[in-house]
Amino acid sequence: MSDLVEFNKDKSDFAKWYDTILIAADILDKRYPVKGMPVMKPAGWYIHEKIMRLAEDEWEKQGIDKCQFPTLIPETFLTKEEEHVAGFEKECFWVTKGGLNTLDIRLALRPTSETAMYSMFSLWVRSYADLPLKVHQSCNVFRYETKSTKPLIRVREIPWNEAHTAHATAEDAEENLRQAWVGYDEVINRQLGFYGLVLRRPEWDKFAGSIYTEVLDTIMPCGRVLQTVGAHNLGQKFAKVFDIKYQTEDNREEYAHMTCYGISTRVMAACLSIHGDDRGLVLPPVIAKVQAVVIPIKPKQPAEKTEENIAAAEASWQKILASSKKITAALQAAGIRAKLDDSDRTPGFKYAHWELRGIPLRVEVGPRDVDHEDEAEFECMMVPRNNNMPAGKGKKGKQAKQAAETPQTGLDKRLVKQADIAAEAHKFLDDIIDKLRDEAQRQHNERVVKCFRLSDVKKAMKKGKVALVPFCDMGDKGKQAEDRIREYLGADLPGEVRGWDPRITDSLEGKTCIASKPDEPDAAHYWAYIARAY
Ligand code: PR8
């Protein structure tokens, strides 16, 4: 399939890079004829499922149980919570017929599962002893997205994991959300090696039916942000309309306090985009189906083709193959997902093939590695996917100069002795993710700039940056200020106020809102982020 599209090797043209890498690396196929529903190929689905598993493991640790709810939701459930239905009815796919019969009540393909789950929560919660009630599921949800769709980022059938919880008190619900963020930090930051801005969304942009919404906005390589996590405090809104009540210890009736949060294929989109490079994907080892690929390198044909020389080259090749097999087995025995590529292709072809697919570690075994006095002894070259390249290699002129000036942010390859193979491979796999995380963090930091004038916001955004600005308000007044910002930035630069980070405590004393009207300076109460979003 990869030959259908030529991979755009220049990541600085990110839009093109993203569109071509997913096809070239066999992640998905866009040719299925329903808009917004690409087919996930085995390599892509493996990665998605691994990411979901990481989240599931976190929820398991936190006592959030896995369950499975039906895909269809009666319209009567969906319309119970006013704000929720207003937010979602236009995004639903509706089932109106069963065979030839028209259904009495329309059924929605779940756009999210609050209403399906909470209709059952109301049956399951009776007393304080039934709380907290915490469940999650990994499934597909459906949203009739009207903005243009983009593989993994804005799809109409969304593979995701969603968690839903009910608690006795508002404090318990808050604490649960904090734990949700601990879980996402572990999965996205620690394991997948990237993160983003953890923000509280403005009132006008919160989840339909929530009292507040927190998100992770990941800054993509083009400077646009992608909401990779949505975590919502639902307060008692849903509990009231779904009648999720419990008897307190002193026999009062109370409504439960609820939260929900979820991640989708967007996490994979961000992970691939942030770590990938001009040569293709760079996978964090934890999500790589093949973590190490072993490549035997054939000895050169002897210059003098005497029988003796030919026999020596063949003997060396057999040793190389035998050692490669042993290395693969040793890696597998050490719990590493290793693969031997002894196909008939040239080493150069194989390197490019596995690099494009992001395989974290390449193990090369060549003639010199097996040429030891002790027959049983051999070594190999371990080359991490994020290998520091010799500066400017293969490049000329300006490009070579640029390459020489680019900081080396990866790892160096190493010659490894037989006895150390398993330990060294493990060390590489650990170091790879640490390096990827450091580099992602460095790039993130570089992309955020403080601005105090709209003209500076414009300049920053044009350079692919995100602006951190003093801002007045996160309610109606803030919305008007945002409208002024949008007008100023114009249609070519559709920036928006993404929200604020309550943990930024830099003083705002004496600062005015960046979108104040010329003669009416408004005091700033928030550090807000302005960015263009996906
Ligand atoms: C909720 N209810 O629904 P949320 N394509 C890919 N990913 C998407 C798309 C899409 N069209 N739409 C949203 N996402 C709550 C929490 C249960 C779970 C991703 O929240 O609407 C986004 O990353 O925020 C979003 O943050 C996440 O799904 C959860 O969706």
Side-chain angles (χ1 to χ4, degrees):
M1 212 53 55
S2 35
D3 50 0
L4 280 178
V5 65
E6 199 176 332
F7 169 48
N8 175 67
K9 291 199 169 104
D10 178 8
K11 197 180 166 195
S12 64
D13 182 355
F14 175 69
K16 217 161 163 200
W17 184 94
Y18 184 81
D19 273 351
T20 54
I21 188 68
L22 297 178
I23 310 293
D26 267 340
I27 298 295
L28 50 81
D29 192 328
K30 291 197 285 191
R31 292 173 299 173
Y32 191 74
V34 180
K35 188 176 150 62
M37 298 190 184
V39 175
M40 282 274 220
K41 297 192 72 186
W45 192 245
Y46 184 92
I47 295 172
H48 174 71
E49 284 212 309
K50 273 278 169 191
I51 295 175
M52 293 299 103
R53 189 69 50 78
L54 293 175
E56 290 173 1
D57 289 349
E58 284 307 303
W59 302 155
E60 182 71 30
K61 276 192 246 164
Q62 295 189 12
I64 307 175
D65 295 319
K66 194 170 184 186
C67 63
Q68 197 62 47
F69 273 73
T71 310
L72 295 176
I73 303 182
E75 183 172 17
T76 43
F77 286 6
L78 213 69
T79 49
K80 276 196 178 179
E81 211 293 322
E82 265 176 31
E83 287 171 12
H84 190 69
V85 67
F88 277 110
E89 68 181 343
K90 287 200 203 108
E91 286 190 11
C92 284
F93 283 95
W94 290 103
V95 176
T96 56
K97 280 193 160 182
L100 297 177
N101 300 331
T102 301
L103 301 177
D104 293 342
I105 297 173
R106 293 198 297 170
L107 299 170
L109 284 179
R110 58 182 166 211
T112 171
S113 304
E114 282 74 7
T115 56
M117 290 194 172
Y118 304 164
S119 69
M120 301 307 291
F121 278 24
S122 73
L123 304 176
W124 298 343
V125 174
R126 285 280 166 269
S127 102
Y128 67 93
D130 299 322
L131 295 174
L133 173 59
K134 303 193 283 186
V135 295
H136 75 94
Q137 66 177 353
S138 294
C139 63
N140 289 7
V141 295
F142 299 82
R143 292 185 184 177
Y144 181 71
E145 294 281 0
T146 46
K147 283 194 200 168
S148 67
T149 55
K150 200 166 192 50
L152 309 179
I153 287 180
R154 189 172 299 282
V155 284
R156 286 181 167 177
E157 178 169 5
I158 315 169
W160 80 354
N161 174 272
E162 55 181 322
H164 294 262
T165 68
H167 306 265
T169 65
E171 293 71 35
D172 287 354
E174 289 269 349
E175 175 54 25
N176 186 69
L177 276 180
R178 274 195 289 278
Q179 291 308 314
W181 283 108
V182 171
Y184 287 131
D185 183 69
E186 172 61 29
V187 174
I188 301 176
N189 191 9
R190 299 294 316 153
Q191 308 258 20
L192 301 178
F194 73 93
Y195 216 48
L197 308 163
V198 181
L199 302 179
R200 188 73 72 95
R201 279 269 185 270
E203 280 296 306
W204 64 86
D205 201 16
K206 60 187 193 185
F207 180 69
S210 68
I211 58 172
Y212 66 78
T213 281
E214 288 172 339
V215 298
L216 181 68
D217 266 1
T218 297
I219 308 177
M220 297 288 269
C222 55
R224 285 168 77 173
V225 291
L226 180 67
Q227 181 182 322
T228 39
V229 176
H232 316 289
N233 189 332
L234 304 175
Q236 293 178 307
K237 285 189 183 187
F238 280 92
K240 284 184 180 157
V241 290
F242 280 92
D243 206 29
I244 306 172
K245 273 191 290 210
Y246 70 97
Q247 201 90 33
T248 62
E249 272 186 277
D250 52 2
N251 279 332
R252 283 176 299 108
E253 277 209 323
E254 282 277 355
Y255 287 108
H257 298 259
M258 314 196 47
T259 80
C260 66
Y261 32 99
I263 53 172
S264 74
T265 46
R266 282 187 184 180
V267 172
M268 169 173 169
C271 184
L272 302 185
S273 300
I274 286 170
H275 300 316
D277 64 17
D278 289 353
R279 286 179 287 145
L281 300 178
V282 182
L283 296 180
V286 70
I287 56 169
K289 185 170 186 189
V290 177
Q291 295 174 311
V293 62
V294 181
I295 300 183
I297 302 167
K298 236 183 188 155
K300 283 206 181 87
Q301 284 297 317
E304 248 185 89
K305 289 203 172 48
T306 60
E307 232 172 73
E308 199 180 325
N309 285 350
I310 292 173
E314 179 56 25
S316 168
W317 175 229
Q318 290 310 320
K319 267 210 244 173
I320 292 169
L321 275 179
S323 306
S324 299
K325 281 182 191 156
K326 281 188 196 154
I327 292 171
T328 311
L331 293 172
Q332 286 168 345
I336 292 169
R337 296 189 287 274
K339 181 184 168 73
L340 171 69
D341 183 355
D342 57 359
S343 64
D344 261 351
R345 307 281 198 173
T346 61
F349 177 94
K350 291 179 192 177
Y351 295 175
H353 177 89
W354 295 110
E355 273 178 354
L356 181 70
R357 286 157 182 75
I359 304 317
L361 190 59
R362 179 170 83 220
V363 183
E364 301 169 2
V365 191
R368 264 184 291 166
D369 302 319
V370 296
D371 190 15
H372 291 284
E373 277 193 10
D374 180 349
E375 285 269 321
E377 209 177 277
F378 53 84
E379 49 202 14
C380 58
M381 182 61 86
M382 290 195 176
V383 188
R385 175 58 181 83
N386 52 348
N387 182 25
N388 280 330
M389 297 295 276
K393 189 177 172 230
K395 299 197 164 114
K396 287 189 193 131
K398 197 174 150 200
Q399 276 188 331
K401 187 166 174 276
Q402 263 175 359
E405 284 163 4
T406 310
Q408 298 265 312
T409 52
L411 294 165
D412 290 323
K413 58 184 183 180
R414 282 202 292 276
L415 197 62
V416 175
K417 286 205 184 340
Q418 184 186 356
D420 304 329
I421 283 171
E424 285 291 287
H426 272 300
K427 172 132 187 38
F428 262 118
L429 296 178
D430 290 345
D431 288 351
I432 286 170
I433 186 61
D434 287 345
K435 276 280 175 195
L436 290 179
R437 192 185 309 103
D438 287 352
E439 176 55 12
Q441 184 67 53
R442 189 188 68 78
Q443 290 190 16
H444 171 98
N445 295 346
E446 261 184 8
R447 287 199 181 270
V448 179
V449 274
K450 251 188 194 172
C451 298
F452 296 92
R453 285 183 311 211
L454 283 179
S455 56
D456 291 335
V457 173
K458 200 175 209 166
K459 272 189 223 147
M461 282 182 60
K462 278 188 176 158
K463 286 191 205 146
K465 306 221 169 188
V466 168
L468 178 60
V469 305
F471 196 67
C472 54
D473 176 67
M474 290 293 157
D476 292 345
K477 189 171 165 187
K479 178 71 191 117
Q480 289 166 18
E482 195 209 34
D483 289 344
R484 289 196 292 278
I485 294 172
R486 283 174 182 265
E487 201 183 323
Y488 177 87
L489 293 173
D492 296 344
L493 210 61
E496 56 190 76
V497 173
R498 297 295 288 174
W500 83 101
D501 179 348
R503 286 160 307 182
I504 297 183
T505 51
D506 299 8
S507 170
L508 278 158
E509 213 178 306
K511 302 233 166 15
T512 51
C513 174
I514 193 151
S516 297
K517 290 186 200 150
D519 314 319
E520 294 173 39
D522 255 328
H525 299 293
Y526 299 90
W527 284 107
Y529 287 94
I530 301 177
R532 183 177 177 193
Y534 269 102

